[in-house]
Amino acid sequence: MSDQNEHHEDLQQILAKVKDVDESIYHLIIEMLRKEKISDCIEFPLKVDSKMHKTDQVNKNFQLIAEIAKNIKNHNFNKYNYNEEIYFDEQQKIIQFIQKKTQDSKIIPFFKFLVLLTAIDKTLVQCGSNSLNLLVRMKVDLRNQNFENIRIENSSLVGANFVKCNLSGSEFQNVEISGMNLNGAELFNCKWNNLKIHKLNKLDGHTWSVLSVCFSPDGTMLASGSRNQPICLWDFRTGQQKAQMYGHIYSVSFSNDGTLLASGSKDKSILLWDVKTGEQKAKFVGHAWSVYSVYFSPDGYTLASGGHNSIRIWDLKTGQKQNEVDGHSLLVSSVCFSSDGVTLASDSDDNSIRLWDVKTGKQKAKLDGHVNGVRSVKFSPDSNVLASGSLDNSIRLWDVKTRKEKAQQHGHSSGILSVCFSPDGTTLASGSQDCSIRLWNVKTGKQQAQLDGHNNWILSVCFSPDGTTLAFGSSDNSISLWDVKDVLNQYQSPLQQNRSLDFEEDCGSIYTNLVNSYITILLISQQPKEQKYIMESFQIIKGQIYFSYFNLKDFAFFKANQNQNRNDIYLIMNQCRKSFIFSLFFLYQIQKF
């Protein structure tokens, strides 16, 4: 452990030095290293000095980059996988440092430079891998990049967008690639070993129905509540249970800064918990019946709670009840603040949705339309739209300004118990008594995906703060985690946009018998230039891709229709719906010579 902390504190100081580097020099260095076949980039200034007349400024940049690279090489950043839990705080500090400093535009190109150096200098593979992981986590635009021959090891590239990138000759070892977008990428002669793709993850620990799930604002923890059970805090990255907080729970909610957790209980009380210590900090009593819903205001100073037919608004500074909001005649199962904290929405088994003025406690509007109890309401991130899920099997979208219904979404065969917007507001998730979860396109109102895997009601759904994961709790006592991009990709066939293909015509019964309707098709290349050999009129590109559970050598191929005059190469990813395991098949279109 002492070795892992040896160079722990000076990484930001090292990165700060790149502010003095002319980023245009990176491309020149890479080209020179390749041309001169120099494998040790730390020594390159000495080896190229006699072969090139450099200006003082260029020479200064060379020396500075060599110095920075040497410091990085000797740092833990080049020794350990910074995606591991022990380095999570350090990784967050680096991201915050980059985002806060004016030199962020300098550090990002430097990270890209480190990634490219992995193709040349094997001693810098881990720092290049950590750099690419950070670029992906920060959602830096990596499309149309040349990453030829890079080496990436012991890292995570979950959700990476490598659209139209050149990854030919790349070597991946022990890398997580869930949700990676390779549409239009070149992948010739790749050697990818022990790749990891997240399957459906289940968190088991509750012995009663999981009534509520909620992500912490930083996305590192998941809280879950169950009747007659303790609250469970889970490490989202590892799936391990971190803590338990004891109480009879119906609902859980994190404060906006992630330091507090509120829970509603059947004992008519609301409890506030210190997330770090797990200790109870406060108890609020004011409901006559069970508390079914709790929700923090965006500023963290107010808490709303919904009970049998009442709503209470609490001042967290004083610990006192700020307002009693009465109007519903039956159970209130869900409350939600608007993004500015001015309006509170509530639903009820009396079939209505109501909007309240938080400051005065007075009703601002009543939204009618559902013909059965409403069990969930959520504002969109911009609070212009309110979504509601009802026992009448419908989801409705309401225009908050006009108080009018915008759209209805039908598809569930039984009542909807929970709805939740994705952080970008483009997708709505719904959980139902029909045991399914559905993802809806908010703009078009069309269903994007349907998730099965539970044999009982879906009671609560929640997106992670970055929108990549959907968690849901069920009456089968379990919590499940789905990779949202992987799920949506099942319903995007083909991903390639420039033209569609009639695959049955191209491939006949061979293709039809091997793959099902849940398929992702990625255009790899239209003009392959790498070494190839011809066999029975087929174009075969040599390469290797290995999964920990599936090995494929020298890429499988299928006979295409002899009448087709195409030389496109397609990667077909067959996604088994239940096990969520990827199988890789490479389809080589016929080429006439």
Side-chain angles (χ1 to χ4, degrees):
M1 187 66 67
S2 60
D3 182 56
Q4 285 184 300
N5 290 326
E6 182 182 354
H7 301 280
H8 180 272
E9 298 180 352
D10 59 344
L11 182 57
Q12 294 179 21
Q13 184 177 356
I14 295 173
L15 293 175
K17 295 179 181 178
V18 303
K19 71 180 188 300
D20 298 321
V21 176
D22 179 0
E23 61 187 73
S24 65
I25 208 75
Y26 294 139
H27 176 72
L28 176 61
I29 292 173
I30 294 294
E31 291 302 313
M32 291 176 61
L33 289 171
R34 287 172 177 166
K35 182 179 179 180
E36 301 297 332
K37 298 181 180 181
I38 298 173
S39 60
D40 186 348
C41 70
I42 307 299
E43 297 182 7
F44 81 88
L46 299 176
K47 294 193 176 184
V48 301
D49 208 26
S50 60
K51 300 184 180 185
M52 179 180 178
H53 296 292
K54 304 188 297 293
T55 66
D56 289 342
Q57 186 61 34
V58 171
N59 186 64
K60 182 180 178 180
N61 273 273
F62 275 28
Q63 297 294 335
L64 179 56
I65 293 173
E67 178 188 348
I68 296 171
K70 182 177 181 179
N71 290 336
I72 289 283
K73 181 178 180 178
N74 296 325
H75 193 276
N76 279 348
F77 193 65
N78 193 44
K79 295 181 180 180
Y80 303 107
N81 175 8
Y82 265 46
N83 195 54
E84 293 180 350
E85 184 179 6
I86 187 175
Y87 287 110
F88 180 75
D89 289 341
E90 177 71 8
Q91 193 179 56
Q92 288 295 103
K93 290 178 182 178
I94 296 171
I95 293 174
Q96 291 171 4
F97 174 73
I98 294 173
Q99 292 174 340
K100 289 181 180 179
K101 298 294 182 180
T102 56
Q103 63 262 40
D104 60 347
S105 59
K106 294 278 190 176
I107 296 176
I108 288 174
F110 178 69
F111 277 161
K112 291 181 180 179
F113 173 65
L114 289 179
V115 174
L116 297 177
L117 283 182
T118 64
I120 299 168
D121 192 336
K122 291 183 178 180
T123 66
L124 296 176
V125 168
Q126 191 59 62
C127 71
S129 301
N130 287 330
S131 296
L132 188 54
N133 169 256
L134 285 166
L135 291 171
V136 170
R137 286 200 59 190
M138 291 186 292
K139 302 186 185 305
V140 174
D141 188 358
L142 299 175
R143 295 171 297 174
N144 297 292
Q145 300 286 313
N146 185 359
F147 291 125
E148 195 171 5
N149 299 320
I150 63 170
R151 302 182 183 100
I152 303 298
E153 296 180 359
N154 307 319
S155 190
S156 171
L157 301 180
V158 172
N161 187 0
F162 289 131
V163 168
K164 295 185 179 179
C165 286
N166 183 359
L167 288 162
S168 296
S170 59
E171 298 180 14
F172 285 9
Q173 175 70 37
N174 193 31
V175 179
E176 298 180 43
I177 64 166
S178 294
M180 181 185 288
N181 190 349
L182 295 170
N183 196 17
E186 294 185 18
L187 298 168
F188 304 116
N189 295 305
C190 297
K191 293 184 179 180
W192 292 3
N193 299 299
N194 195 29
L195 301 184
K196 300 178 181 179
I197 294 180
H198 293 301
K199 295 176 281 186
L200 170 66
N201 291 313
K202 283 194 174 183
L203 305 179
D204 295 314
H206 291 290
T207 57
W208 289 73
S209 299
V210 180
L211 303 174
S212 181
V213 291
C214 183
F215 278 99
S216 61
D218 63 4
T220 62
M221 286 187 292
L222 181 76
S224 59
S226 174
R227 184 181 300 175
N228 297 325
Q229 295 277 303
I231 301 169
C232 292
L233 286 183
W234 308 85
D235 186 317
F236 169 59
R237 295 160 63 84
T238 65
Q240 299 299 309
Q241 193 174 118
K242 297 184 66 174
Q244 291 186 344
M245 302 168 183
Y246 287 85
H248 296 172
I249 308 304
Y250 281 121
S251 178
V252 291
S253 176
F254 277 100
S255 61
N256 201 40
D257 61 5
T259 61
L260 295 176
L261 184 74
S263 63
S265 171
K266 73 177 184 179
D267 67 3
K268 312 173 189 178
S269 70
I270 300 108
L271 301 178
L272 284 187
W273 307 86
D274 185 305
V275 173
K276 188 174 183 179
T277 65
E279 297 178 352
Q280 181 181 317
K281 295 196 67 174
K283 182 176 182 178
F284 301 148
V285 179
H287 286 276
W289 300 90
S290 300
V291 180
Y292 295 105
S293 179
V294 290
Y295 206 95
F296 279 95
S297 63
D299 61 12
Y301 297 139
T302 308
L303 181 75
S305 56
H308 179 66
N309 60 357
S310 64
I311 299 165
R312 301 290 181 260
I313 299 176
W314 308 86
D315 187 323
L316 297 182
K317 288 183 178 180
T318 64
Q320 300 299 310
K321 185 164 49 182
Q322 179 177 310
N323 272 313
E324 293 188 11
V325 181
D326 296 314
H328 287 295
S329 58
L330 292 174
L331 178 147
V332 176
S333 57
S334 177
V335 292
C336 181
F337 280 100
S338 59
S339 58
D340 59 9
V342 173
T343 303
L344 183 75
S346 64
D347 64 36
S348 173
D349 274 2
D350 64 13
N351 306 351
S352 74
I353 301 157
R354 307 195 185 216
L355 302 179
W356 310 89
D357 186 298
V358 173
K359 187 175 181 180
T360 65
K362 293 182 178 181
Q363 181 175 303
K364 298 170 70 173
K366 182 184 178 196
L367 309 180
D368 291 314
H370 287 291
V371 295
N372 207 333
V374 186
R375 287 301 177 90
S376 183
V377 288
K378 283 292 188 300
F379 280 104
S380 61
D382 60 10
S383 293
N384 289 329
V385 178
L386 183 74
S388 59
S390 169
L391 297 179
D392 64 10
N393 306 352
S394 75
I395 298 166
R396 303 190 185 220
L397 299 181
W398 307 84
D399 187 307
V400 176
K401 292 182 180 179
T402 65
R403 318 287 202 253
K404 301 295 184 180
E405 181 182 303
K406 290 185 60 175
Q408 292 186 25
Q409 294 164 334
H410 296 276
H412 286 289
S413 60
S414 193
I416 289 91
L417 302 178
S418 182
V419 293
C420 183
F421 281 97
S422 61
D424 63 6
T426 61
T427 303
L428 183 74
S430 58
S432 170
Q433 291 173 331
D434 65 10
C435 309
S436 75
I437 301 97
R438 313 218 178 189
L439 300 181
W440 309 84
N441 185 304
V442 174
K443 185 176 181 179
T444 66
K446 293 182 179 180
Q447 181 178 305
Q448 294 178 290
Q450 178 177 333
L451 313 180
D452 298 303
H454 284 272
N455 56 16
N456 219 318
W457 293 1
I458 307 300
L459 302 174
S460 179
V461 294
C462 185
F463 278 99
S464 61
D466 62 5
T468 61
T469 303
L470 183 70
F472 45 96
S474 170
S475 292
D476 64 10
N477 309 339
S478 71
I479 304 161
S480 295
L481 305 172
W482 285 88
D483 186 306
V484 176
K485 286 188 177 180
D486 283 349
V487 171
L488 291 179
N489 282 345
Q490 292 189 58
Y491 293 82
Q492 297 174 357
S493 173
L495 286 179
Q496 201 253 107
Q497 298 297 316
N498 56 353
R499 59 184 171 84
S500 62
L501 296 174
D502 185 344
F503 282 100
E504 189 160 350
E505 177 187 348
D506 285 349
C507 310
S509 60
I510 295 177
Y511 170 81
T512 305
N513 292 335
L514 282 171
V515 297
N516 60 26
S517 60
Y518 295 93
I519 191 143
T520 297
I521 302 159
L522 308 175
L523 175 61
I524 297 176
S525 177
Q526 293 179 328
Q527 299 294 333
K529 298 177 182 178
E530 298 296 323
Q531 180 183 1
K532 58 183 179 289
Y533 63 91
I534 305 304
M535 173 180 169
E536 297 180 0
S537 298
F538 287 90
Q539 185 177 57
I540 309 300
I541 307 299
K542 285 188 174 182
Q544 298 175 337
I545 292 183
Y546 300 97
F547 281 79
S548 57
Y549 44 79
F550 184 89
N551 291 341
L552 180 64
K553 296 183 179 181
D554 295 329
F555 300 160
F557 62 93
F558 304 95
K559 186 174 182 179
N561 190 316
Q562 294 281 342
N563 295 325
Q564 296 294 324
N565 185 20
R566 296 176 184 153
N567 64 350
D568 300 352
I569 298 178
Y570 289 86
L571 164 62
I572 298 179
M573 307 183 76
N574 181 19
Q575 300 171 308
C576 301
R577 185 175 175 183
K578 291 186 177 180
S579 62
F580 223 55
I581 297 177
F582 283 73
S583 299
L584 291 181
F585 297 94
F586 280 75
L587 170 63
Y588 293 87
Q589 300 284 18
I590 190 73
Q591 180 177 9
K592 292 183 178 181
F593 298 94

